């Protein structure tokens, strides 16, 4: 290739003649390259999370990115969307006689992996709580859209241990939620909402599911096909259906709270009291059941309006039976995972919203107007305005595009305007175009 290129140059041919002709290979759908300067923001978020977690005495755990498929089938639940439709699973053939073929899966989430490691390394044997955090990629075959990717990153943490270490205490739930509020505030995320609920214990659940099934029976025929399927396989999932047409029906369904036993209600109330005591605001959302089967009692989400449809910045909850479900000892736990991609989107949107725009961009039309434009800029700046000055060599389209990025308004200074002293001003926010005499321009450009 190098020789071809040199020969081509020596012979005076254009470089184009030796450009590769094969189609360029692109990143796989749903995956992304993270490039500078954005990676600075990712590193800043990671560093802030590590610093906050250290203050709460959490240590880092790193588990493999692929695991035995059974871990997720038994841990997360066969009927969940994640396990039934979204996993990257393959059959790893035996390479030696001593090896068995094994079904493996790229981790769609990390709680099951952390609990597997807790069991495998007997971390509960000292009788203490394990407080572990992780940062890393997860994989789900979802339909990609803004804030939803097939490889995405989570920052998560888990508090797990034997009941004698206090792992079931509502204080642990409240401490985790208070830590999250601290982290989001420290990152400068403005306007988050914390929604919490209790989904009760495995003893409460069948009671609620029976009530829910009965309530769904007469109405499910009018709901979306996903809900019709879920009503059969996993009726709880109906509650987090996002179809707008189904919402009036969902609003009439019975609440899980009415099926909880006294102990579950008292646990939830103690979480709320502890949050009240430390001033962390929250809302009790009766429909928050979340998409993973391991949850018991407390479930929560932090949402952010700026994210659009994918508004869950993070989610989590208690999973008191997960360890036993995957063959371990009794080890109740609570944890969360933040969608780091969504955190980055939220912070970027905030920074954009805060970007100071110039009051006006002066666009001379033709290089002959450059000097006049500089004189006009000088006058306006002297009046205290923040002014960007374009260049008469730019085409009008380029001036408009640049101005739209930098300023609230554009002032056109062409030959006609220079002769008449009447300038054309366009306001980007309203789209309004006005003719303004030069004497009134400074007043017109002042921010209201
Ligand atoms: P999850 O709700 O499935 O919970 O995911 C947690 C967060 O990861 C979501 O709130 C969202 O911000 C982000 N996320 C999920 N899927 C995607 C995606 N396709 N693209 C971008 N971001 C995504 C769990 O994963 C649980 N393991 C959380 C947990 C920890 N519960 C207890 N401990």
């Amino acid at each position: 290739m190098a020789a071809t290129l040199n020969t081509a140059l020596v012979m005076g041919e254009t470089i184009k003649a030796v450009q590769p002709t094969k189609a360029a290979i692109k990143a796989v759908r749903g995956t992304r390259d993270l490039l500078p300067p954005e990676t600075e923001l990712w590193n800043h978020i990671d560093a802030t999370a590590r610093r906050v977690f250290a203050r709460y005495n959490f240590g880092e755990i790193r588990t493999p990115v692929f695991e035995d498929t059974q871990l997720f089938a038994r841990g997360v639940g066969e009927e969940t969307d994640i396990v039934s439709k979204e996993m990257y699973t393959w059959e790893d053939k035996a390479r030696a006689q001593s090896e068995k073929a094994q079904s493996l899966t790229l981790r769609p989430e990390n709680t099951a992996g952390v609990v597997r490691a807790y069991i495998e390394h007997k971390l509960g044997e000292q009788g203490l709580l394990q407080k572990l955090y992780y940062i890393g990629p997860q994989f789900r075959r979802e339909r990609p859209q803004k804030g939803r990717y097939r490889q995405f990153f989570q920052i998560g943490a888990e508090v797990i241990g034997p009941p004698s270490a206090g792992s079931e205490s509502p204080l642990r739930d409240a401490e985790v939620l208070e830590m999250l509020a601290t982290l989001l505030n420290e990152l400068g995320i403005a306007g988050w909402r914390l929604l919490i609920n209790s989904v009760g214990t495995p003893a409460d659940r069948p009671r609620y599911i029976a009530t829910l099934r009965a309530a769904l029976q007469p109405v499910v025929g009018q709901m979306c096909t996903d809900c019709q399927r879920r009503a059969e396989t996993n009726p709880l999932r109906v509650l987090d259906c996002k179809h707008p047409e189904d919402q009036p029906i969902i609003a009439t369904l019975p609440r899980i709270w009415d099926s909880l036993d006294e102990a579950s209600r008292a646990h939830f109330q103690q979480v709320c009291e502890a949050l009240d005591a430390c001033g962390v605001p929250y809302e009790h959302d009766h429909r928050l059941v979340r998409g993973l089967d391991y949850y018991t009692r407390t479930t929560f989400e932090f949402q952010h309006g700026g994210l659009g449809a994918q508004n869950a910045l993070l989610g989590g909850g208690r999973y008191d039976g997960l360890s036993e479900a995957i063959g371990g000892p009794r080890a109740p736990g609570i944890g969360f995972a933040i969608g780091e991609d969504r955190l980055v989107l939220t912070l970027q949107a905030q920074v954009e919203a805060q970007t100071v725009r110039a009051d006006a961009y002066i666009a001379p039309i033709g290089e002959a107007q450059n000097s006049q434009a500089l004189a006009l800029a000088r006058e306006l700046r002297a009046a205290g305005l923040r002014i960007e000055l374009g260049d008469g060599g730019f085409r009008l389209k380029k001036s408009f595009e640049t101005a739209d990025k930098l300023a609230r308004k554009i002032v056109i200074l062409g030959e006609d305007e220079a002769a008449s002293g009447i300038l054309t001003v366009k306001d980007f926010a309203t789209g309004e175009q006005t003719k303004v005499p030069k004497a009134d321009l400074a007043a017109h450009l002042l921010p209201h």
Side-chain angles (χ1 to χ4, degrees):
M1 178 70 184
T4 326
L5 184 62
N6 285 341
T7 322
L9 288 175
V10 170
M11 292 172 70
E13 288 177 27
T14 60
I15 302 269
K16 210 171 158 212
V18 291
Q19 290 288 305
T21 52
K22 290 191 178 149
I25 295 170
K26 297 212 170 120
V28 173
R29 187 168 137 81
T31 70
R32 304 183 297 154
D33 299 307
L34 303 175
L35 307 171
E38 192 184 303
T39 37
E40 292 282 326
L41 184 54
W42 286 77
N43 288 337
H44 165 70
I45 292 172
D46 289 352
T48 309
R50 287 177 196 282
R51 206 176 53 233
V52 170
F53 294 157
R55 292 211 299 267
Y56 289 77
N57 206 22
F58 277 70
E60 183 174 4
I61 181 168
R62 300 187 188 195
T63 63
V65 291
F66 60 88
E67 299 264 5
D68 190 320
T69 305
Q70 275 306 305
L71 174 66
F72 305 114
R74 280 162 57 188
V76 177
E78 300 264 18
E79 283 303 332
T80 59
D81 281 354
I82 295 178
V83 174
S84 64
K85 321 196 263 215
E86 296 169 359
M87 296 207 301
Y88 287 96
T89 296
W90 70 100
E91 205 53 37
D92 203 38
K93 294 198 194 82
R95 302 201 60 187
Q97 274 199 328
S98 56
E99 264 183 21
K100 278 201 297 200
Q102 200 179 8
S103 175
L104 302 178
T105 293
L106 283 181
R107 64 182 185 197
E109 63 98 57
N110 213 13
T111 308
V114 170
V115 176
R116 179 206 42 74
Y118 170 90
I119 299 166
E120 194 164 331
H121 302 286
K122 302 185 170 51
L123 298 183
E125 276 193 352
Q126 288 183 342
L128 296 174
L129 282 181
Q130 295 297 309
K131 295 163 54 174
L132 305 163
Y133 79 86
Y134 50 84
I135 300 179
Q138 319 292 332
F139 307 85
R140 297 183 193 175
R141 194 189 282 111
E142 292 196 82
R143 201 163 43 77
Q145 64 180 80
K146 183 180 165 215
R148 190 162 72 193
Y149 311 100
R150 291 181 167 180
Q151 172 174 308
F152 59 98
F153 290 81
Q154 284 188 340
I155 300 178
E158 313 293 347
V159 180
I160 177 169
S164 60
S167 56
E168 284 180 285
S169 165
L171 181 57
R172 300 279 75 87
D173 308 38
E175 189 184 24
V176 160
L177 290 166
E178 186 273 324
M179 176 169 82
L180 278 165
T182 301
L183 173 58
L184 295 185
N185 290 346
E186 219 152 289
L187 282 168
I189 300 271
W192 51 259
R193 285 171 68 206
L194 163 58
L195 308 179
I196 56 173
N197 194 19
S198 175
V199 293
T201 62
D204 299 327
R205 208 79 52 80
R207 225 180 0 255
Y208 179 58
I209 289 175
T211 318
L212 193 57
R213 275 219 161 92
L216 277 169
Q217 212 185 11
V219 290
V220 75
Q222 303 153 38
M223 301 182 84
C224 69
T225 48
D226 271 345
C227 279
Q228 297 187 13
R229 182 177 49 80
R230 291 175 185 140
E232 287 299 314
T233 57
N234 195 348
L236 274 186
R237 299 261 60 77
V238 170
L239 298 185
D240 55 23
C241 166
K242 301 279 187 299
H243 271 92
E245 311 84 68
D246 289 355
Q247 301 312 307
I249 298 178
I250 292 170
T252 65
L253 295 173
R255 291 174 163 189
I256 198 163
W257 181 257
D258 298 320
S259 299
L260 299 188
D261 64 14
E262 272 315 306
S264 291
R265 289 187 191 193
H267 191 277
F268 184 77
Q269 273 155 350
Q270 286 171 57
V271 177
C272 296
E273 275 162 27
L275 289 176
D276 290 337
C278 57
V280 173
Y282 61 89
E283 295 158 47
H284 184 175
D285 178 353
H286 289 275
R287 283 180 42 190
L288 189 77
V289 290
R290 309 222 346 103
L292 300 94
D293 279 356
Y294 50 61
Y295 288 121
T296 51
R297 298 199 265 199
T298 314
T299 52
F300 58 85
E301 255 175 36
F302 279 72
Q303 298 186 346
H304 197 278
L307 283 165
Q310 303 306 313
N311 65 354
L313 206 47
L314 68 94
R318 194 163 258 296
Y319 44 85
D320 294 342
L322 176 56
S323 170
E324 287 144 300
I326 58 173
R330 177 144 179 78
I334 177 151
F336 63 84
I338 306 173
E340 194 172 6
D341 304 75
R342 297 184 190 178
L343 210 52
V344 168
L345 281 172
T346 309
L347 283 172
Q348 281 171 333
Q350 273 180 209
V351 170
E352 233 162 69
Q354 285 164 7
T355 304
V356 183
R357 284 175 171 259
D359 296 312
Y361 178 100
I362 300 178
I365 313 286
E367 279 166 9
Q369 303 306 324
N370 272 352
S371 313
Q372 285 300 317
L374 178 60
L376 179 62
R378 184 164 201 251
E379 255 177 59
L380 295 172
R381 285 169 180 153
L385 291 162
R386 194 180 184 106
I387 300 295
E388 271 284 347
L389 177 59
D391 191 301
F394 291 171
R395 296 174 48 177
L396 197 55
K397 182 164 182 270
K398 177 170 173 176
S399 294
F400 266 92
E401 282 169 2
T402 315
D404 195 14
K405 287 183 192 135
L406 298 173
R408 292 183 296 106
K409 292 177 180 166
I410 184 168
V411 178
I412 313 287
L413 181 64
E415 223 172 285
D416 289 352
E417 284 85 359
S420 67
I422 312 268
L423 296 138
T424 306
V425 181
K426 182 175 174 183
D427 185 322
F428 290 114
T430 60
E432 201 184 344
Q433 200 154 306
T434 5
K435 301 272 184 199
V436 184
K438 200 169 152 210
D440 301 340
L441 192 59
H444 180 84
L445 294 177
L446 272 176
H448 302 296

